[in-house]
Amino acid sequence: VMETADLDSALALTQEHDDLDLILLDLNMPGAYGFSGLVLLRGQYPQIPVVMVSAQEEADVVVRSREFGASGFIPKSSSMGQIQAAVRAVLDGDVSW
């Protein structure tokens, strides 16, 4: 498990570790504007599943996450069990919406 504080650090970490199993990406991560972080990661590392994490739980945010290539969406209000189930599903090759 690795953590970064902003999008630039996340991209650098991804370059250093091309064997990542999953990226949990905050929609409002510093350095990312809207879905720019998701678009960059999906474009550069299409083999790594990305799950969006956000306090913005509106349906259009979830739909846009899917349209931009996320493998799932986890609202920040989710319980620990819901988070674990979503992560497990994506790691098993499924999606989590």
Side-chain angles (χ1 to χ4, degrees), residues 6 9 14 16 31 37 44 46 48 60 64 74 76-77 79-80 82 85 89 91 94:
D6 56 38
S9 298
T14 305
E16 294 171 18
Q44 292 182 20
I48 304 173
D60 65 313
R64 291 187 70 203
I74 300 174
K76 287 187 177 180
S77 64
S79 70
M80 185 56 65
Q82 291 169 319
L91 288 174
D94 204 354

Side-chain angles (χ1 to χ4, degrees), residues 22-29 32 34-39 41-42 49-56 61-62 64-66 68-76 86 90 96-97:
L22 173 70
I23 295 173
L24 298 175
L25 182 67
D26 191 328
L27 181 61
N28 291 316
M29 173 180 250
F35 294 93
S36 65
L38 174 60
V39 171
L41 287 167
R42 297 303 303 143
V50 178
V51 175
M52 296 303 296
V53 180
S54 182
Q56 297 179 25
V61 174
V62 177
R64 291 187 70 203
S65 296
R66 186 179 312 166
F68 286 122
S71 296
F73 185 90
I74 300 174
K76 287 187 177 180
V90 173
S96 179
W97 301 103

